[in-house]
Amino acid sequence: MSGINGMRHRFFESTRGRIVQILRGGRYTVEEIASMLGLTDNAVRAHLLALERDGLVRASGARKGVGKPAQEYSLTPQAEELFPKPYAAVLDRLIAVLKGRLSGAELEACLREVGRAIASSQARPTGNLEARAEAAVQLLNRLGGLAELDREHGALVIRGRSCPLGGLVREHPELCKLAQEMVEAVIGAPVKECCDRSPSPVCRFEVGST
């Protein structure tokens, strides 16, 4: 096991990782977490403080009962990103099924429609072409990419070093059309898709090209 999966596995084997897993099931007090892990209350408080600093855990109200109310803790939305999501496997099977039912042109039209729908869910960018291209870059990055806007020979180029769909584009290159349509819809100008679909995929969209 290596890379991100390896780091995630090591984290969840640690005490802080085990606390995160407990809190995924609901809100718990220091005393309850300590009982589950066989730790002292002070040890759990120290771990919770570190997790709060990392933005993974937050205090979420006090539980009333006999005596002093007990502070409860819960996960932040950011913590959910630590847990693996089977999106890629589901999308892979979905595209495979669609390929068996649709023609190439129909599949591409479907994916382009999805790209436009994603773009339409965002606030419509304003400004000049460069400002709108920067908005497309930000959308790609919110979806898990690592894109940047550059100029080559005076032309705007969006280049992504980490493709959100990178694990699937070699098997399903049609997915690049989804991204192209999404970028075009955000920018409001033609975009030429020139993605590298090698084992280390790199997104590339030339703005204003046909």
Side-chain angles (χ1 to χ4, degrees), residues 114-159:
V114 172
R116 290 192 298 272
I118 295 172
S120 68
S121 69
Q122 310 297 310
R124 185 81 174 177
T126 58
N128 60 20
L129 183 65
E130 184 169 353
R132 300 196 307 272
E134 184 60 45
V137 167
Q138 293 173 9
L139 175 55
L140 286 169
N141 290 341
R142 286 197 296 273
L143 294 174
L146 186 60
E148 59 185 7
L149 184 63
D150 201 359
R151 280 191 178 271
E152 292 183 4
H153 309 295
L156 291 171
V157 175
I158 295 174
R159 186 183 295 107

Side-chain angles (χ1 to χ4, degrees), residues 88-101:
V90 172
L91 182 57
D92 179 39
R93 290 296 87 207
L94 175 61
I95 297 299
V97 169
L98 290 176
K99 280 183 174 180
R101 298 189 178 190

Side-chain angles (χ1 to χ4, degrees), residues 16 33-34 38 42 58 63 67 77 83 91 117 126 148 155 183 192 196 202:
R16 289 176 192 172
I33 296 170
N42 285 339
R58 62 188 174 192
R63 184 186 303 170
F83 296 93
L91 182 57
T126 58
E148 59 185 7
V183 170
K192 183 180 180 181
D196 175 2
V202 175

